Amino acid sequence: MNKLELSSLYQLTMMRFRLFLREPEAIFWIFIFPILLAAGLGIAFRNRPPEVLQVGATTLQLTQALNADKGLTSTTMDEATGTQALATGRILLLAVQRPDTTVYQYDSTNPDARTAKLLADHAIQTAAGRHDALHTKEDLVHETGSRYIDFVVPGLLGMNLMGSAMWGMGFAIVEARQKKLLKRLVASPMPRWQYLASFLLSRLVMLVIEVAAFLGFARLVFGVPFRGSIAQLALLCILTSLAFSALGLLTASRAKTIEAVSGLMNFVMFPMWIFSGVFFSSTRFPAVVQPLIKALPLTAAIDAMRGNMLQGMSLHQLLPPVAILLAWLIIPFAISLRIFRWR
């Protein structure tokens, strides 16, 4: 590569930076929004003492038995009032005294209601004189890595890398095509590969700032653990960004308008927002669709980053998701080069 080619590549890359800095909304969505989202989720789902569950009882004796459990607070009410309170969500469970038994009315699909039933039954049985057959004790463990914020940070990182790579690549290329800039550039002495390489170079530089700012915030504010190699985590982030850059290039290869490429990118990203386990585990979906979910690039990226950060897994142990990311890098990029429209 001669000095002229190096100079043109440098100028193209600097042009990408200047165009990015002229869009403050892009700076917000790439650098600030993920931090705000992590802060909101970290505060909303922070570790807290167990909540006291609201229940009801139809007799004073049942109410006193239920209030003896520190996890419950009970109010005496008649059955009609209790049924209405259950329906409106003011209580989780109603204990109804019958002539020969106690009936628990609750919604079995509500996890808090199931917990209330277990506590209520234990409290009432204890008040009736039942004793535990075996003595047990609690050994409470509060371990970083098991909290919701520890789980969600790799998901948010993967989602942000996907969005910034695809939108940054797709929008810029289609906008240049729409303004006839691509047509002018291809008529110049510029090698065509340099135009695409400038996107990748600028993306890699921005990636350093994007990842360092987000993970630095997660570490300093919430104490999110990094149990694996930082160098390997950086490599996973680079691979993720390149894979989604290739997808962004593919969606922008033929699109002529911003509206068209927006629709295509939303069509590509929307399933991954839902199925890839950003905010909850992807294993919650039925087993029949798990092979498809595992093949999604965002699922592979998040699984790999969670394995590195939370379980301390090495790249050798993460070969399946890494192989999926490599496939999503190579195949879309190769297709893009064949179908890319310069004019």
Side-chain angles (χ1 to χ4, degrees):
M1 187 184 300
N2 57 43
K3 291 183 178 180
L4 179 61
E5 289 180 334
L6 283 174
S7 176
S8 60
L9 179 60
Y10 171 78
Q11 293 299 332
L12 286 168
T13 305
M14 291 305 297
M15 178 186 71
R16 299 301 326 143
F17 284 123
R18 295 188 188 101
L19 289 174
F20 176 79
L21 293 175
R22 290 174 184 174
E23 300 176 359
E25 63 275 9
I27 297 174
F28 171 81
W29 287 110
I30 291 176
F31 297 115
I32 301 175
F33 177 74
I35 293 176
L36 293 178
L37 186 57
L41 292 173
I43 293 171
F45 295 96
R46 67 191 183 278
N47 286 358
R48 293 176 292 182
E51 294 183 3
V52 178
L53 304 177
Q54 302 286 333
V55 298
T58 57
T59 67
L60 181 60
Q61 184 181 6
L62 285 178
T63 299
Q64 290 173 343
L66 293 170
N67 282 329
D69 191 302
K70 61 182 180 181
L72 299 172
T73 178
S74 180
T75 304
T76 305
M77 59 187 69
D78 58 58
E79 188 171 351
T81 304
T83 301
Q84 184 180 12
L86 272 176
T88 56
R90 290 190 289 114
I91 61 172
L92 294 167
L93 174 142
L94 178 66
V96 181
Q97 186 64 60
R98 301 285 191 225
D100 56 347
T101 187
T102 300
V103 178
Y104 301 119
Q105 296 181 4
Y106 68 101
D107 181 2
S108 63
T109 63
N110 186 332
D112 287 338
R114 293 198 300 268
T115 302
K117 187 266 179 183
L118 294 173
L119 295 176
D121 187 62
H122 179 269
I124 291 173
Q125 297 286 2
T126 301
R130 186 180 72 179
H131 298 284
D132 294 330
L134 180 67
H135 176 68
T136 61
K137 64 178 182 178
E138 293 181 346
D139 184 10
L140 302 180
V141 177
H142 301 284
E143 180 67 32
T144 57
S146 62
R147 304 167 300 170
Y148 181 70
I149 186 64
D150 303 320
F151 173 85
V152 82
V153 159
L156 293 178
L157 177 60
M159 183 181 72
N160 196 52
L161 292 176
M162 175 181 71
S164 58
M166 290 195 66
W167 290 111
M169 180 73 77
F171 266 179
I173 289 176
V174 174
E175 184 181 29
R177 183 181 292 124
Q178 199 170 22
K179 294 179 177 179
K180 309 298 183 183
L181 180 59
L182 284 183
K183 183 178 180 181
R184 297 171 190 167
L185 287 173
V186 80
S188 71
M190 174 203 75
R192 296 186 180 186
W193 66 267
Q194 288 193 357
Y195 181 73
L196 301 178
S198 68
F199 281 92
L200 297 180
L201 288 176
S202 61
R203 182 77 202 105
L204 290 176
V205 174
M206 303 287 269
L207 180 68
V208 174
I209 305 171
E210 178 183 347
V211 173
F214 179 70
L215 292 183
F217 173 83
R219 177 67 178 176
L220 291 173
V221 176
F222 295 109
V224 173
F226 296 94
R227 294 184 175 134
S229 166
I230 297 296
Q232 291 183 5
L233 177 61
L235 185 60
L236 289 173
C237 291
I238 292 172
L239 180 58
T240 300
S241 184
L242 292 177
F244 284 115
S245 294
L247 264 178
L249 179 62
L250 180 60
T251 56
S253 293
R254 309 289 288 183
K256 296 181 180 180
T257 65
I258 295 294
E259 292 78 13
V261 77
S262 296
L264 285 172
M265 286 192 291
N266 282 322
F267 177 77
V268 170
M269 291 190 290
F270 184 72
M272 291 186 275
W273 290 334
I274 298 174
F275 296 111
S276 290
V278 176
F279 300 103
F280 54 86
S281 175
S282 60
T283 58
R284 288 179 175 268
F285 294 100
V288 68
V289 297
Q290 286 299 318
L292 295 176
I293 293 175
K294 291 295 183 184
L296 294 174
L298 185 58
T299 307
I302 292 173
D303 287 349
M305 288 188 281
R306 282 194 180 125
N308 175 278
M309 293 175 60
L310 304 182
Q311 301 175 45
M313 298 171 71
S314 65
L315 282 181
H316 178 72
Q317 296 170 293
L318 297 170
L319 282 180
V322 168
I324 291 172
L325 286 172
L326 283 172
W328 280 104
L329 166 60
I330 296 169
I331 297 173
F333 188 72
I335 297 173
S336 301
L337 292 181
R338 293 185 64 88
I339 68 171
F340 192 84
R341 186 198 303 270
W342 287 93
R343 300 180 185 275

